[in-house]
């Protein structure tokens, strides 16, 4: 079986490639990269010769067609995106172009090449956006009230997935991933950012001050290694046209996250609110009802939050 991962150089994509190579050895893994892609996340895999890479950009349909024609995937995990919420405030059109229009290009390229793969698209809990207290934990049926350009682009991806299934029988499974984290998480994202700052302080590289944004916000964090196993199961067992939440069902506040990271470190720090880290409108709480995904696939998270945070700190201790 051929599988194609868009966004293979990213955080989740690199973990997904590792998961597939480790657990499904008969599968051939193909990935899309851009000429300027940073390769460090997949560097260990490159040496194995077990992945095949194609240069393609979601904004360039002809590059997508060439890659698809060569890889001929039976399954596509569509993870590539402008994935950073704060960047979407500065670059709303670019975010929409990559995420929404880029996915249209991918779908159209699949159909132009007369392929019939199962396609997972990586939607996000950010699609739910404004959530009322009586709507937590959120089910897939919850209204989508996106609160950032990124979130709107993910709603567009999600609904395009539904529409292409209805209109063309493109076999799309939509996942709404709640926050995932772990080793290799980009340093701009909150868990990794806190962990990196703590390790910088441990190593005496910066003064013992941690800069933070909104510490009241609550998020449902899954270990990325559990999330990508969920993505695999979504295409293995999920129904085409359907949408599934993937998360743990537990929400922790940013303050709690920071305290738990600090408890795993000898560093003594002062916490300082940085107005630049506050968003124009922030989602207060995201917490998943995962019963639909569990019933469809049997998935449940296996890695404790404590292990995830330890591994994240260790990642930064060896990276810095
Ligand atoms: P990353 O930012 O780590 O990775 C994004 C990937 O997309 C990179 O490989 C990047 O390639 C690629 N990419 C970006 N723009 C383009 C483009 N124009 N053409 C081709 N490739 C492109 O994101 P994550 O791994 O964290 O997230 C994966 C997916 O999951 C995303 O769709 C994200 O929105 C979604 N998601 C993530 C969550 C999380 O908590 N991590 C939560 C919910 C959803 P390059 O190396 O060239 O930059």
């Amino acid at each position: 079986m051929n599988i194609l991962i868009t966004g293979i150089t990213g955080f989740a994509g690199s973990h997904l490639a590792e998961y597939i190579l480790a657990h499904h050895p008969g599968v051939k893994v193909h990935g899309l990269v851009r000429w300027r892609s940073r390769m460090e996340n997949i560097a260990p895999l490159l040496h194995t010769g077990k992945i095949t890479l194609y240069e393609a950009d979601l904004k360039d349909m002809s590059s997508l067609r060439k890659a698809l024609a060569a890889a001929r995937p039976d399954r596509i995990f569509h993870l590539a995106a402008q994935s950073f919420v704060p960047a979407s405030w500065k670059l709303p059109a670019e975010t929409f172009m990559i995420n929404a229009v880029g996915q249209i290009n991918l779908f159209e390229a699949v159909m132009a090449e007369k392929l019939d793969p199962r396609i997972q698209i990586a939607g996000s809990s950010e699609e739910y956006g404004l959530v009322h207290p009586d709507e937590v934990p959120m089910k897939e049926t919850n209204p989508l009230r996106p609160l950032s350009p990124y979130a709107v682009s993910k709603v567009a991806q999600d609904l395009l997935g539904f529409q292409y299934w209805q209109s063309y029988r493109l076999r799309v499974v939509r996942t709404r991933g709640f926050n995932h984290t772990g080793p290799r998480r980009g340093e701009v994202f909150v868990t990794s950012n806190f962990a990196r700052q703590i390790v910088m302080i441990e190593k005496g590289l910066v003064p013992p001050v941690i800069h933070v944004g909104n510490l009241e916000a609550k998020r449902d964090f899954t270990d990325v290694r559990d999330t990508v196993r969920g993505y695999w199961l979504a295409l293995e067992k999920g129904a085409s046209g359907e949408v599934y939440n993937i998360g743990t069902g537990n929400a922790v506040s940013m303050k709690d996250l920071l305290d738990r990271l600090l408890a795993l470190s000898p560093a003594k720090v002062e916490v300082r609110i940085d107005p630049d880290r506050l968003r124009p409108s922030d989602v207060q709480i995201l917490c998943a009802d995962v019963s639909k995904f569990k019933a469809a696939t049997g998935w449940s998270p296996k890695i404790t939050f404590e292990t995830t945070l330890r591994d994240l700190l260790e990642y930064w201790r060896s990276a810095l």
Side-chain angles (χ1 to χ4, degrees), residues 39-107:
M39 305 301 269
E40 65 246 26
N41 284 345
I42 53 169
L45 301 181
L46 292 176
H47 299 306
T48 66
K50 287 185 177 162
I51 55 175
T52 311
L53 300 177
Y54 307 89
E55 206 172 292
D57 193 306
L58 288 174
K59 294 191 286 184
D60 172 12
M61 171 120 155
S62 70
S63 68
L64 291 173
R65 282 193 65 169
K66 275 188 208 147
L68 287 166
R72 304 203 65 76
D74 303 293
R75 293 182 185 176
I76 298 176
F77 294 91
H78 178 39
L79 307 187
Q82 192 302 92
S83 69
F84 188 39
V85 176
S88 78
W89 296 104
K90 296 201 172 97
L91 300 166
E94 177 73 359
T95 300
F96 218 78
M97 193 63 82
I98 294 174
N99 297 3
V101 178
Q103 185 176 287
I104 292 176
N105 286 338
L106 179 68
F107 285 176

Side-chain angles (χ1 to χ4, degrees), residues 1-310:
M1 176 165 58
N2 287 311
I3 72 107
L4 175 71
I5 303 174
T6 75
I8 195 168
T9 55
F11 167 60
S14 62
H15 280 282
L16 178 61
E18 264 174 24
Y19 166 79
I20 294 172
L21 292 175
H23 295 93
H24 304 280
V27 170
K28 288 202 182 111
V29 176
H30 306 256
L32 300 189
V33 294
R34 293 187 285 179
W35 64 269
R36 58 162 199 212
S37 290
R38 293 174 61 180
M39 305 301 269
E40 65 246 26
N41 284 345
I42 53 169
L45 301 181
L46 292 176
H47 299 306
T48 66
K50 287 185 177 162
I51 55 175
T52 311
L53 300 177
Y54 307 89
E55 206 172 292
D57 193 306
L58 288 174
K59 294 191 286 184
D60 172 12
M61 171 120 155
S62 70
S63 68
L64 291 173
R65 282 193 65 169
K66 275 188 208 147
L68 287 166
R72 304 203 65 76
D74 303 293
R75 293 182 185 176
I76 298 176
F77 294 91
H78 178 39
L79 307 187
Q82 192 302 92
S83 69
F84 188 39
V85 176
S88 78
W89 296 104
K90 296 201 172 97
L91 300 166
E94 177 73 359
T95 300
F96 218 78
M97 193 63 82
I98 294 174
N99 297 3
V101 178
Q103 185 176 287
I104 292 176
N105 286 338
L106 179 68
F107 285 176
E108 291 292 330
V110 165
M111 294 197 301
E113 291 302 321
K114 306 204 177 334
L115 298 169
D116 184 26
R118 299 207 81 198
I119 307 174
Q120 174 256 348
I121 56 176
S124 166
S125 54
E126 291 282 336
E127 292 174 50
Y128 294 113
L130 181 67
V131 175
H132 300 303
D134 62 350
E135 294 171 336
V136 178
M138 292 115 74
K139 288 183 183 295
E140 290 82 353
T141 47
N142 219 62
L144 303 178
R145 308 184 193 100
L147 286 176
S148 66
Y150 167 81
V152 175
S153 76
K154 285 281 150 183
V155 171
Q157 283 191 240
D158 191 327
L159 297 184
L160 283 163
F162 176 76
Q163 181 249 315
Y164 272 71
W165 160 248
Q166 290 294 331
S167 306
Y168 306 114
R169 283 295 179 253
L170 206 62
R171 296 185 298 148
V172 175
V173 178
R174 300 168 285 149
T175 54
R176 292 186 190 143
F178 284 62
N179 296 61
H180 30 287
T181 191
R184 304 203 286 268
R185 181 65 159 145
E187 67 184 74
V188 290
F189 296 91
V190 64
T191 44
S192 219
N193 188 278
F194 287 178
R196 185 174 186 275
Q197 289 191 67
I198 290 169
V199 171
M200 297 270 283
I201 293 167
E202 281 178 7
K203 291 182 181 253
L205 298 171
V206 291
V209 179
I210 293 217
H211 299 270
V212 301
N214 175 10
L215 285 183
E216 304 307 315
K218 289 186 172 174
R219 295 289 182 272
D220 178 338
F221 290 106
T222 311
D223 190 286
V224 64
R225 294 159 287 196
D226 279 329
T227 304
V228 299
R229 186 168 47 81
Y231 288 167
W232 177 265
L233 285 170
L235 286 194
E236 193 79 3
K237 298 187 170 171
S240 299
E242 277 301 338
V243 61
Y244 301 100
N245 285 341
I246 303 183
T248 66
N250 301 312
V252 294
S253 69
M254 297 305 118
K255 169 143 190 357
D256 194 21
L257 162 68
L258 181 58
D259 289 345
R260 291 167 82 158
L261 278 169
L262 286 170
L264 297 170
S265 165
K268 296 281 167 274
V269 306
E270 178 198 328
V271 176
R272 201 172 285 168
I273 304 276
D274 179 351
D276 285 348
R277 289 168 181 254
L278 300 172
R279 299 175 186 173
S281 55
D282 203 0
V283 178
Q284 276 313 309
I285 179 163
L286 294 173
C287 183
D289 180 322
V290 207
S291 46
K292 182 176 172 186
F293 190 57
K294 285 185 174 174
T297 66
W299 178 88
S300 65
K302 288 183 180 161
I303 301 172
T304 64
F305 195 40
E306 169 102 0
T307 304
T308 308
L309 297 183
R310 258 183 217 287

